[in-house]
Amino acid sequence: MKFWSVHKMQNFEAGDCPGHPPWHSGRVDAAKQKNAANKKEGEKRRDVEPWLAQDPGVASETHRFASLAPDEHNNIERHHTVPHALLHLLSHAAERARTLSAGPISIAVGSAALSGCAGVQSALDPRGEQAHTLAVLFWTFTAVLALVWFLTMAGLIFALAHRRNRRGEPAQPRAAVKRPMLIAFCVMLASSTIILSGLAVLSFGAQKAIFGSGAGAALTISVIGHQWWWQVRYEGDGGFETANEIRIPAGSPVDIKLTTADVIHSFWIPSLAGKLDLIPGKSNELRIQASKPGVYRGQCAEFCGQQHAHMAIFVVALEPREFERWRAGQAAPVKPTAHLGRQGVFTLALLENAQ
Amino acid sequence: MSLASEEPHATRDSDLGDEELRARLRKTWGTNGGLIGFLSTVDHKVIGIRYAVTSFAFLLAGGVLALIMRLQLARPDNHLVGAELYNQLFTMHGTTMMFLFGVPVGEAFAIYLVPLMVGTRNIAFPRLNAFSYYVYLFGGLMLWGGFAFSIRPDVGWFSYVPLANLDFTPGKGPDYWAQMITFTEVAALAVSVEIVVTVLKQRAPGMTLDRIPLFVWTMLVHSFIIIFAMPAVMLASSMLIMDRLVTTQFFNADAGGDPLLWQHLFWFFGHPEVYIIFLPGTAFVSAIVATFSRRPVFGYLPMVLSLIAIGFLSFGLWVHHMFVTGLPQVGAAFFTASSMAIAIPNGVQIFCWIATLWDGKPVLKTPLIFVLGFFFIFVTGGLSGVMLASVPIDTQVHDTYFVVAHFHYVLIGGTLFPLVGAVYYWFPKLTGRLMDERLGKWQFALAFIGFNIAFFPMHMLGLLGMPRRVYTYPAEIGWGGLNLLASAGALLFFASFLLMAYNLLVSARKGALAGDNPWDADTLEWATTSPPQPQNFDRIPCLTSGSPLWSRDDDQPVVSGLKVDERELVVTSITEARPDIREESPAPSIWPFVAALATAAAFIGSIYTPWAITWGSPVVALALVAWFWPKTSEENA
């Protein structure tokens, strides 16, 4: 089974943002070898691809979503709450600054950022509740700390400018401590304490909002890290497995149970939530939620060996109705007659193994 | 002040004129020629320079590795180096920069400058000092020798288990890595003990606690941090090598061990390590800012208290490296607060330096210009550090290029820029010649622009989702432009160091003569010749103020009554630096070299068989017996 090709879904190839990875095919030699070792296990897993090919309705709908221009999409999504509006303003201002500022560096930076395929894998392009909270917190920190930076640099530049050396000036071994400097010192100490305390309180607030124990999510999915792929297990009656791809219903929280079969990995879908490690002998739980249907890329964020760079995963958020349909399709017995192509061979192998 | 007592036969410094005194002291304190003399030397200045040259060689090697990595990442889907080699490169880069450059280079300056600054003739335990250098050298040569012969660690400078376990990484790479840690930590601990004793017991009479130069205070705190932090990583690396070699199960979750134990031990060392590397940078800044502002640093007391606060707080932050391992939230939140708290003493230091410049009359020479670069870059890195202290923000940027940008801003900005300034500043003391100012300013321009182009885009790359330690990335994901920019900046930054090497080589031969005190600085190292005599000072100075060379008095009191034909030091009391006793300082000896050789053989052998420790220990013990063999002196006779 080629795990590296399961993402070649037709619905994502369209649009100006070809985020799905044709780059996986044919390049990951060592990973392939490793996967060959896992082949037997892998063949028991159902591929998600055939379903998409069979269900044109869903595919076209996701397609429509994917081809929305990023900004249009943002507008739909972001104006519900004050922090979201603030975030929107800030990111817009940043974009404008990027495009307006001249000079080769900023042009390169700007073009790189614009070509950056904003929806795929970016902490600055949040598409879920947690990622929103995180981005707002990030921009608040950035604004406050940038102010501190500018004040410090202004002080430094003024210190250099206001009394330049006249050559050969003798040193003052006992410089008097002047009153204004003492006052400035106290102001600096007090204000930095206040600023840091304020930021700490904001951080605690966000931490509570993100990790606070809410009601249990309707859906729990187990993700098991392997060198260098992700095994995804839908628990419960009619449970089934996929690889390197998680399908979730948009708009409702999903708990991801994280364990590892070998070394430490880290599960990270930047546009949905922060990361969390998969550690041997330990089970971690991360909640993710996608506001809208879409495809969100992530990749392993803890160095896990040779092909760490290629350990990617996709979260596909579907309309709840479609998600249920897909889930039911996955859980149902496979009909080997539908498409006797490549997949057909695998399903036959699966049936043989099951007996 | 006279220390002369009984023993009327020995010649004392009070008996001789200046010329003859210098000649006799030179003979007493000098190093013999020949290979044996070369390997036996215990002169802190010679060993300090060896430390510095060795660590700069490792800097260059680590820099070349970084450059290869940047070339690989310059384009998406690049095939310059493969996954395997790339993983080896970043492992070697991190390990070299942290253990073979960052820590030793701070020690190099401490070994060379602290005895001069406190006005003594040699470092405390000079033979241990020689031993430490050889152990460090052998450790570095072992790691790079292994690299040359394809025994290459490839599990990161942090060697997380279980990836570094035998199951996932067979071969000897991680063992070499773990033993290299042992080597450099032995060396670092030895130097720290020497510095602490030198500062506390060998200060010139009159150098009370509140007259100790800030440079020396910083190195004292730095040494204490090493003494308390390094044992944690030595323990961890020993446990790792035992897991790999004799099948202990410290880190094996299946057998009741815990992979997180490794992370706790490693980061309990790892975060103080950041301050171990950074504090020498602040020491350079304090010295350079004072000299070129033409006044002592503003707020001596807050500066010293901040240093001590940093020393303590640095031990309370390690968990912020583990925010995404799924620790309990309340515990993690505590470390948010402590990580933010350390910004306050750092802020105090920054404020005091800027206030010094403000109140002084700054002279813009190359050393000060590099320190100005330090302010710009380090403050940026410090503020992004405040972001990383926040648990929620950290869950997004942890292990991404944002963190790579952050710690290069902190470590290169905080240590390397002041370090280059320090090289320009103290080079005249080491060689007697000034470095070229014009080349220095060009170097700064190149380094400053190159650095920012190389590392600022990495902040954005991290936020755009690029994780660390990936050997390549797909074109479709759109990280190509920023990576290309970063690579171009890295080339410029590297070129600035080539310019520095050129400047060093040319200036050492043809630079303008410096004289004793070219910058009109105030600390004692400038009171002696450039380069200093083997005895450092013909007559040990006595201090009447914290800026001895800036007092208008031409008549400085000195110590008299020390023996001339034996290596004698003044030992003073800890707080008030009152002269206490005369103490003999050990003479050159080949045995520290032999002991280091035996230690190295035992450590390297232990990678292959635990019996190496059993057979190596008696050899080391024999070398130590010879090393400490008592000499019959007239006082013992």
Side-chain angles (χ1 to χ4, degrees), chain B residues 425-464:
Chain B
Y425 182 63
W426 278 294
F427 184 82
K429 182 48 65 184
L430 268 69
T431 63
R433 290 179 186 276
L434 288 158
M435 285 178 76
D436 191 287
E437 274 288 312
R438 201 168 52 88
L439 282 179
K441 282 168 183 160
W442 274 107
Q443 187 200 339
F444 174 78
L446 215 53
F448 185 77
I449 295 170
F451 173 83
N452 283 297
I453 295 179
F455 291 99
F456 198 79
M458 292 186 191
H459 290 109
M460 288 175 252
L461 280 172
L463 293 167
L464 291 175

Side-chain angles (χ1 to χ4, degrees), chain A residues 30-247:
Chain A
K32 265 190 186 163
Q33 283 170 14
K34 181 81 183 181
N35 280 334
N38 290 324
K39 194 175 169 194
K40 216 166 175 193
E41 190 190 346
E43 280 175 356
K44 293 179 193 161
R45 197 167 299 109
R46 292 183 196 195
D47 201 313
V48 289
E49 194 173 0
W51 167 79
L52 265 179
Q54 287 164 18
D55 195 335
V58 176
S60 66
E61 221 175 297
T62 330
H63 175 113
R64 217 179 326 123
F65 158 74
S67 60
L68 277 175
D71 250 348
E72 230 178 299
H73 180 68
N74 288 351
N75 287 342
I76 298 167
E77 201 175 280
R78 278 192 187 150
H79 285 285
H80 307 310
T81 59
V82 178
H84 292 185
L86 171 74
L87 168 66
H88 183 72
L89 274 178
L90 279 167
S91 55
H92 244 272
E95 253 165 55
R96 195 168 307 160
R98 263 187 240 135
T99 40
L100 283 181
S101 55
I105 296 170
S106 53
I107 286 171
V109 170
S111 62
L114 288 178
S115 69
C117 219
V120 175
Q121 181 171 331
S122 168
L124 297 184
D125 188 27
R127 303 298 174 99
E129 208 175 301
Q130 283 124 316
H132 263 298
T133 314
L134 289 170
V136 171
L137 188 67
F138 173 81
W139 285 114
T140 314
F141 266 61
T142 306
V144 173
L145 296 172
L147 185 70
V148 173
W149 189 87
F150 276 112
L151 285 175
T152 315
M153 289 305 122
L156 178 66
I157 288 167
F158 192 73
L160 289 173
H162 91 130
R163 192 154 56 161
R164 291 301 297 273
N165 59 305
R166 279 161 284 163
R167 280 189 165 274
E169 197 98 15
Q172 321 160 253
R174 284 171 205 280
V177 176
K178 289 158 196 152
R179 206 180 157 77
M181 281 167 81
L182 275 184
I183 294 172
F185 180 82
C186 296
V187 169
M188 183 280 308
L189 200 58
S191 57
S192 57
T193 311
I194 291 166
I195 289 170
L196 287 168
S197 310
L199 291 177
V201 168
L202 281 180
S203 168
F204 294 150
Q207 195 180 355
K208 205 174 166 200
I210 292 168
F211 302 105
S213 51
L219 179 62
T220 300
I221 301 169
S222 293
V223 170
I224 302 144
H226 296 260
Q227 280 179 319
W228 295 273
W229 59 282
W230 307 88
Q231 181 185 0
V232 181
R233 188 180 287 159
Y234 288 76
E235 308 284 1
D237 290 342
F240 55 91
E241 289 188 356
T242 62
N244 295 336
E245 182 166 296
I246 305 177
R247 302 207 161 199

Side-chain angles (χ1 to χ4, degrees), chain A residues 219 234-235 238 240 322-332:
Chain A
L219 179 62
Y234 288 76
E235 308 284 1
F240 55 91
E322 284 151 18
F323 172 77
E324 284 309 327
R325 195 152 20 122
W326 169 78
R327 192 183 180 182
Q330 287 291 303

Side-chain angles (χ1 to χ4, degrees), chain A residues 274-317:
Chain A
K275 61 181 72 66
L276 192 58
D277 285 355
L278 292 69
I279 295 175
K282 202 165 145 60
S283 170
N284 281 332
E285 207 165 276
L286 179 73
R287 177 162 296 184
I288 60 172
Q289 180 172 0
S291 312
K292 296 275 170 181
V295 181
Y296 311 104
R297 188 180 192 265
Q299 69 187 95
C300 177
E302 181 63 79
F303 179 65
C304 59
Q306 198 198 37
Q307 291 298 333
H308 166 60
H310 288 293
M311 193 169 159
I313 186 164
F314 289 83
V315 171
V316 181

